[in-house]
Amino acid sequence: MSAIFKKLKQECYEANMELNALGLVIYTFGNVSALDRENGVFAIKPSGVAYELLKPEDMVVLDFDNNIIEGKMRPSSDTKTHAYLYKNWDDIGGIAHTHAMYSVAWAQSQLDIPIFGTTHADHLTSDIPCAPPMSDELIKGNYEHNTGIQILDCFKAKNISHKEVEMVLIGNHGPFTWGNNAAKAVYNSKVLETVAQMAYLTLQINPKAPRLKDSLINKHYERKHGKNSYYGQ
């Protein structure tokens, strides 16, 4: 493992191990990537390798055109999606993809996750978007690359910002999350899964449960993220 990418690979490895530790993946599913914007590369988990067998040196380093810069294994099958997002969103530093149960269940329902409570509002002020299932034309093409297009098209159609909403569901597929680094992307994956479970249970208890009112949405978001926030130390 070259010295230049040692820190990047370690960050990527730790994020992938955290994804597994949080119970967000099954078997070899799921992946996290970590970005080195200065060198125009990112590291990602190799494809189909059990988490307990992973080592930092196993992480694969690629450029934004999916050329392998360093690594002996094949990168994650979702690599082209990561590359597309990095190429188009120059302010993110990590991406995670899981097959977590409740997140995937909502993706399979092809529904946005409504904002029902303050846990949701602590992190974002809108519903969690679900992109429509991919068109047949895109499925027949460069599928993983086109998944990136699918995500950007969803945000454009719903007129939301990836800076404010750091997560998305892909219809019939599953969730992608991102952040300023790999650890934040994993954090967002856990938040998404928890909110997805809460929303599901809410609708089981009361199928007509009302959305959280705007005053509470704004209060909880602003106290944590606003200019006069007072959450934390």
Side-chain angles (χ1 to χ4, degrees), residues 46-61:
S47 179
V49 179
Y51 285 87
E52 61 269 21
L53 300 178
L54 284 176
K55 301 182 292 297
E57 55 266 32
D58 294 332
M59 303 300 107
V60 185
V61 179

mmCIF file with all atom_site columns, all heavy atoms in Angstrom, residues 46-61:
data_model
loop_
_atom_site.group_PDB
_atom_site.id
_atom_site.type_symbol
_atom_site.label_atom_id
_atom_site.label_alt_id
_atom_site.label_comp_id
_atom_site.label_asym_id
_atom_site.label_entity_id
_atom_site.label_seq_id
_atom_site.pdbx_PDB_ins_code
_atom_site.Cartn_x
_atom_site.Cartn_y
_atom_site.Cartn_z
_atom_site.occupancy
_atom_site.B_iso_or_equiv
_atom_site.pdbx_formal_charge
_atom_site.auth_seq_id
_atom_site.auth_comp_id
_atom_site.auth_asym_id
_atom_site.auth_atom_id
_atom_site.pdbx_PDB_model_num
ATOM 1   N N   . PRO A 1 46 ? -13.741 -3.336  -1.878 1.00 0.00 ? 46 PRO A N   1
ATOM 2   C CA  . PRO A 1 46 ? -13.714 -4.286  -2.997 1.00 0.00 ? 46 PRO A CA  1
ATOM 3   C C   . PRO A 1 46 ? -15.010 -5.077  -3.061 1.00 0.00 ? 46 PRO A C   1
ATOM 4   O O   . PRO A 1 46 ? -15.700 -5.255  -2.054 1.00 0.00 ? 46 PRO A O   1
ATOM 5   C CB  . PRO A 1 46 ? -12.521 -5.185  -2.668 1.00 0.00 ? 46 PRO A CB  1
ATOM 6   C CG  . PRO A 1 46 ? -12.377 -5.107  -1.182 1.00 0.00 ? 46 PRO A CG  1
ATOM 7   C CD  . PRO A 1 46 ? -12.786 -3.714  -0.815 1.00 0.00 ? 46 PRO A CD  1
ATOM 8   N N   . SER A 1 47 ? -15.342 -5.567  -4.214 1.00 0.00 ? 47 SER A N   1
ATOM 9   C CA  . SER A 1 47 ? -16.618 -6.248  -4.447 1.00 0.00 ? 47 SER A CA  1
ATOM 10  C C   . SER A 1 47 ? -16.640 -7.652  -3.848 1.00 0.00 ? 47 SER A C   1
ATOM 11  O O   . SER A 1 47 ? -15.696 -8.434  -4.020 1.00 0.00 ? 47 SER A O   1
ATOM 12  C CB  . SER A 1 47 ? -16.880 -6.345  -5.959 1.00 0.00 ? 47 SER A CB  1
ATOM 13  O OG  . SER A 1 47 ? -18.089 -7.006  -6.219 1.00 0.00 ? 47 SER A OG  1
ATOM 14  N N   . GLY A 1 48 ? -17.721 -7.949  -3.129 1.00 0.00 ? 48 GLY A N   1
ATOM 15  C CA  . GLY A 1 48 ? -17.991 -9.313  -2.693 1.00 0.00 ? 48 GLY A CA  1
ATOM 16  C C   . GLY A 1 48 ? -17.049 -9.890  -1.660 1.00 0.00 ? 48 GLY A C   1
ATOM 17  O O   . GLY A 1 48 ? -16.957 -11.113 -1.531 1.00 0.00 ? 48 GLY A O   1
ATOM 18  N N   . VAL A 1 49 ? -16.369 -9.043  -0.884 1.00 0.00 ? 49 VAL A N   1
ATOM 19  C CA  . VAL A 1 49 ? -15.460 -9.530  0.155  1.00 0.00 ? 49 VAL A CA  1
ATOM 20  C C   . VAL A 1 49 ? -16.143 -9.380  1.511  1.00 0.00 ? 49 VAL A C   1
ATOM 21  O O   . VAL A 1 49 ? -16.653 -8.309  1.842  1.00 0.00 ? 49 VAL A O   1
ATOM 22  C CB  . VAL A 1 49 ? -14.134 -8.752  0.147  1.00 0.00 ? 49 VAL A CB  1
ATOM 23  C CG1 . VAL A 1 49 ? -13.210 -9.252  1.259  1.00 0.00 ? 49 VAL A CG1 1
ATOM 24  C CG2 . VAL A 1 49 ? -13.459 -8.883  -1.213 1.00 0.00 ? 49 VAL A CG2 1
ATOM 25  N N   . ALA A 1 50 ? -16.152 -10.454 2.296  1.00 0.00 ? 50 ALA A N   1
ATOM 26  C CA  . ALA A 1 50 ? -16.786 -10.422 3.613  1.00 0.00 ? 50 ALA A CA  1
ATOM 27  C C   . ALA A 1 50 ? -16.118 -9.375  4.497  1.00 0.00 ? 50 ALA A C   1
ATOM 28  O O   . ALA A 1 50 ? -14.886 -9.221  4.465  1.00 0.00 ? 50 ALA A O   1
ATOM 29  C CB  . ALA A 1 50 ? -16.703 -11.799 4.259  1.00 0.00 ? 50 ALA A CB  1
ATOM 30  N N   . TYR A 1 51 ? -16.904 -8.674  5.275  1.00 0.00 ? 51 TYR A N   1
ATOM 31  C CA  . TYR A 1 51 ? -16.373 -7.587  6.100  1.00 0.00 ? 51 TYR A CA  1
ATOM 32  C C   . TYR A 1 51 ? -15.309 -8.071  7.077  1.00 0.00 ? 51 TYR A C   1
ATOM 33  O O   . TYR A 1 51 ? -14.316 -7.367  7.321  1.00 0.00 ? 51 TYR A O   1
ATOM 34  C CB  . TYR A 1 51 ? -17.519 -6.893  6.848  1.00 0.00 ? 51 TYR A CB  1
ATOM 35  C CG  . TYR A 1 51 ? -18.351 -6.008  5.949  1.00 0.00 ? 51 TYR A CG  1
ATOM 36  C CD1 . TYR A 1 51 ? -19.424 -6.529  5.237  1.00 0.00 ? 51 TYR A CD1 1
ATOM 37  C CD2 . TYR A 1 51 ? -18.045 -4.662  5.789  1.00 0.00 ? 51 TYR A CD2 1
ATOM 38  C CE1 . TYR A 1 51 ? -20.180 -5.729  4.395  1.00 0.00 ? 51 TYR A CE1 1
ATOM 39  C CE2 . TYR A 1 51 ? -18.793 -3.855  4.944  1.00 0.00 ? 51 TYR A CE2 1
ATOM 40  C CZ  . TYR A 1 51 ? -19.860 -4.396  4.249  1.00 0.00 ? 51 TYR A CZ  1
ATOM 41  O OH  . TYR A 1 51 ? -20.594 -3.599  3.402  1.00 0.00 ? 51 TYR A OH  1
ATOM 42  N N   . GLU A 1 52 ? -15.494 -9.256  7.637  1.00 0.00 ? 52 GLU A N   1
ATOM 43  C CA  . GLU A 1 52 ? -14.529 -9.753  8.617  1.00 0.00 ? 52 GLU A CA  1
ATOM 44  C C   . GLU A 1 52 ? -13.181 -10.093 7.987  1.00 0.00 ? 52 GLU A C   1
ATOM 45  O O   . GLU A 1 52 ? -12.183 -10.258 8.692  1.00 0.00 ? 52 GLU A O   1
ATOM 46  C CB  . GLU A 1 52 ? -15.082 -10.969 9.359  1.00 0.00 ? 52 GLU A CB  1
ATOM 47  C CG  . GLU A 1 52 ? -15.397 -12.167 8.484  1.00 0.00 ? 52 GLU A CG  1
ATOM 48  C CD  . GLU A 1 52 ? -16.833 -12.173 7.976  1.00 0.00 ? 52 GLU A CD  1
ATOM 49  O OE1 . GLU A 1 52 ? -17.460 -11.095 7.954  1.00 0.00 ? 52 GLU A OE1 1
ATOM 50  O OE2 . GLU A 1 52 ? -17.317 -13.264 7.610  1.00 0.00 ? 52 GLU A OE2 1
ATOM 51  N N   . LEU A 1 53 ? -13.141 -10.171 6.664  1.00 0.00 ? 53 LEU A N   1
ATOM 52  C CA  . LEU A 1 53 ? -11.886 -10.473 5.979  1.00 0.00 ? 53 LEU A CA  1
ATOM 53  C C   . LEU A 1 53 ? -11.190 -9.224  5.434  1.00 0.00 ? 53 LEU A C   1
ATOM 54  O O   . LEU A 1 53 ? -10.041 -9.301  4.991  1.00 0.00 ? 53 LEU A O   1
ATOM 55  C CB  . LEU A 1 53 ? -12.142 -11.443 4.815  1.00 0.00 ? 53 LEU A CB  1
ATOM 56  C CG  . LEU A 1 53 ? -12.750 -12.805 5.183  1.00 0.00 ? 53 LEU A CG  1
ATOM 57  C CD1 . LEU A 1 53 ? -12.982 -13.624 3.922  1.00 0.00 ? 53 LEU A CD1 1
ATOM 58  C CD2 . LEU A 1 53 ? -11.849 -13.549 6.169  1.00 0.00 ? 53 LEU A CD2 1
ATOM 59  N N   . LEU A 1 54 ? -11.873 -8.105  5.483  1.00 0.00 ? 54 LEU A N   1
ATOM 60  C CA  . LEU A 1 54 ? -11.317 -6.878  4.910  1.00 0.00 ? 54 LEU A CA  1
ATOM 61  C C   . LEU A 1 54 ? -10.117 -6.363  5.687  1.00 0.00 ? 54 LEU A C   1
ATOM 62  O O   . LEU A 1 54 ? -10.046 -6.479  6.916  1.00 0.00 ? 54 LEU A O   1
ATOM 63  C CB  . LEU A 1 54 ? -12.388 -5.784  4.877  1.00 0.00 ? 54 LEU A CB  1
ATOM 64  C CG  . LEU A 1 54 ? -13.463 -5.863  3.799  1.00 0.00 ? 54 LEU A CG  1
ATOM 65  C CD1 . LEU A 1 54 ? -14.470 -4.745  4.007  1.00 0.00 ? 54 LEU A CD1 1
ATOM 66  C CD2 . LEU A 1 54 ? -12.833 -5.763  2.414  1.00 0.00 ? 54 LEU A CD2 1
ATOM 67  N N   . LYS A 1 55 ? -9.186  -5.759  4.956  1.00 0.00 ? 55 LYS A N   1
ATOM 68  C CA  . LYS A 1 55 ? -8.041  -5.068  5.540  1.00 0.00 ? 55 LYS A CA  1
ATOM 69  C C   . LYS A 1 55 ? -7.921  -3.709  4.860  1.00 0.00 ? 55 LYS A C   1
ATOM 70  O O   . LYS A 1 55 ? -8.380  -3.538  3.719  1.00 0.00 ? 55 LYS A O   1
ATOM 71  C CB  . LYS A 1 55 ? -6.756  -5.870  5.338  1.00 0.00 ? 55 LYS A CB  1
ATOM 72  C CG  . LYS A 1 55 ? -6.779  -7.271  5.947  1.00 0.00 ? 55 LYS A CG  1
ATOM 73  C CD  . LYS A 1 55 ? -5.465  -7.988  5.765  1.00 0.00 ? 55 LYS A CD  1
ATOM 74  C CE  . LYS A 1 55 ? -5.161  -8.339  4.314  1.00 0.00 ? 55 LYS A CE  1
ATOM 75  N NZ  . LYS A 1 55 ? -6.115  -9.279  3.720  1.00 0.00 ? 55 LYS A NZ  1
ATOM 76  N N   . PRO A 1 56 ? -7.324  -2.735  5.516  1.00 0.00 ? 56 PRO A N   1
ATOM 77  C CA  . PRO A 1 56 ? -7.192  -1.406  4.906  1.00 0.00 ? 56 PRO A CA  1
ATOM 78  C C   . PRO A 1 56 ? -6.558  -1.441  3.518  1.00 0.00 ? 56 PRO A C   1
ATOM 79  O O   . PRO A 1 56 ? -6.986  -0.716  2.616  1.00 0.00 ? 56 PRO A O   1
ATOM 80  C CB  . PRO A 1 56 ? -6.318  -0.637  5.908  1.00 0.00 ? 56 PRO A CB  1
ATOM 81  C CG  . PRO A 1 56 ? -6.598  -1.284  7.219  1.00 0.00 ? 56 PRO A CG  1
ATOM 82  C CD  . PRO A 1 56 ? -6.794  -2.744  6.901  1.00 0.00 ? 56 PRO A CD  1
ATOM 83  N N   . GLU A 1 57 ? -5.570  -2.296  3.347  1.00 0.00 ? 57 GLU A N   1
ATOM 84  C CA  . GLU A 1 57 ? -4.876  -2.357  2.057  1.00 0.00 ? 57 GLU A CA  1
ATOM 85  C C   . GLU A 1 57 ? -5.747  -2.936  0.941  1.00 0.00 ? 57 GLU A C   1
ATOM 86  O O   . GLU A 1 57 ? -5.408  -2.829  -0.246 1.00 0.00 ? 57 GLU A O   1
ATOM 87  C CB  . GLU A 1 57 ? -3.578  -3.152  2.173  1.00 0.00 ? 57 GLU A CB  1
ATOM 88  C CG  . GLU A 1 57 ? -3.721  -4.544  2.730  1.00 0.00 ? 57 GLU A CG  1
ATOM 89  C CD  . GLU A 1 57 ? -3.483  -4.615  4.232  1.00 0.00 ? 57 GLU A CD  1
ATOM 90  O OE1 . GLU A 1 57 ? -3.795  -3.630  4.942  1.00 0.00 ? 57 GLU A OE1 1
ATOM 91  O OE2 . GLU A 1 57 ? -2.983  -5.666  4.689  1.00 0.00 ? 57 GLU A OE2 1
ATOM 92  N N   . ASP A 1 58 ? -6.886  -3.544  1.303  1.00 0.00 ? 58 ASP A N   1
ATOM 93  C CA  . ASP A 1 58 ? -7.785  -4.106  0.293  1.00 0.00 ? 58 ASP A CA  1
ATOM 94  C C   . ASP A 1 58 ? -8.624  -3.044  -0.420 1.00 0.00 ? 58 ASP A C   1
ATOM 95  O O   . ASP A 1 58 ? -9.186  -3.312  -1.486 1.00 0.00 ? 58 ASP A O   1
ATOM 96  C CB  . ASP A 1 58 ? -8.744  -5.117  0.927  1.00 0.00 ? 58 ASP A CB  1
ATOM 97  C CG  . ASP A 1 58 ? -8.028  -6.347  1.458  1.00 0.00 ? 58 ASP A CG  1
ATOM 98  O OD1 . ASP A 1 58 ? -6.964  -6.687  0.922  1.00 0.00 ? 58 ASP A OD1 1
ATOM 99  O OD2 . ASP A 1 58 ? -8.540  -6.954  2.419  1.00 0.00 ? 58 ASP A OD2 1
ATOM 100 N N   . MET A 1 59 ? -8.725  -1.859  0.187  1.00 0.00 ? 59 MET A N   1
ATOM 101 C CA  . MET A 1 59 ? -9.536  -0.811  -0.427 1.00 0.00 ? 59 MET A CA  1
ATOM 102 C C   . MET A 1 59 ? -8.961  -0.440  -1.796 1.00 0.00 ? 59 MET A C   1
ATOM 103 O O   . MET A 1 59 ? -7.738  -0.397  -1.975 1.00 0.00 ? 59 MET A O   1
ATOM 104 C CB  . MET A 1 59 ? -9.586  0.425   0.462  1.00 0.00 ? 59 MET A CB  1
ATOM 105 C CG  . MET A 1 59 ? -10.117 0.179   1.882  1.00 0.00 ? 59 MET A CG  1
ATOM 106 S SD  . MET A 1 59 ? -11.805 -0.469  1.953  1.00 0.00 ? 59 MET A SD  1
ATOM 107 C CE  . MET A 1 59 ? -11.480 -2.175  2.450  1.00 0.00 ? 59 MET A CE  1
ATOM 108 N N   . VAL A 1 60 ? -9.832  -0.203  -2.741 1.00 0.00 ? 60 VAL A N   1
ATOM 109 C CA  . VAL A 1 60 ? -9.418  0.079   -4.119 1.00 0.00 ? 60 VAL A CA  1
ATOM 110 C C   . VAL A 1 60 ? -9.520  1.581   -4.377 1.00 0.00 ? 60 VAL A C   1
ATOM 111 O O   . VAL A 1 60 ? -10.530 2.210   -4.062 1.00 0.00 ? 60 VAL A O   1
ATOM 112 C CB  . VAL A 1 60 ? -10.310 -0.671  -5.127 1.00 0.00 ? 60 VAL A CB  1
ATOM 113 C CG1 . VAL A 1 60 ? -9.806  -0.463  -6.551 1.00 0.00 ? 60 VAL A CG1 1
ATOM 114 C CG2 . VAL A 1 60 ? -10.359 -2.163  -4.785 1.00 0.00 ? 60 VAL A CG2 1
ATOM 115 N N   . VAL A 1 61 ? -8.476  2.149   -4.951 1.00 0.00 ? 61 VAL A N   1
ATOM 116 C CA  . VAL A 1 61 ? -8.427  3.588   -5.241 1.00 0.00 ? 61 VAL A CA  1
ATOM 117 C C   . VAL A 1 61 ? -8.646  3.803   -6.736 1.00 0.00 ? 61 VAL A C   1
ATOM 118 O O   . VAL A 1 61 ? -7.981  3.171   -7.570 1.00 0.00 ? 61 VAL A O   1
ATOM 119 C CB  . VAL A 1 61 ? -7.077  4.204   -4.809 1.00 0.00 ? 61 VAL A CB  1
ATOM 120 C CG1 . VAL A 1 61 ? -7.031  5.700   -5.146 1.00 0.00 ? 61 VAL A CG1 1
ATOM 121 C CG2 . VAL A 1 61 ? -6.858  3.994   -3.316 1.00 0.00 ? 61 VAL A CG2 1
#
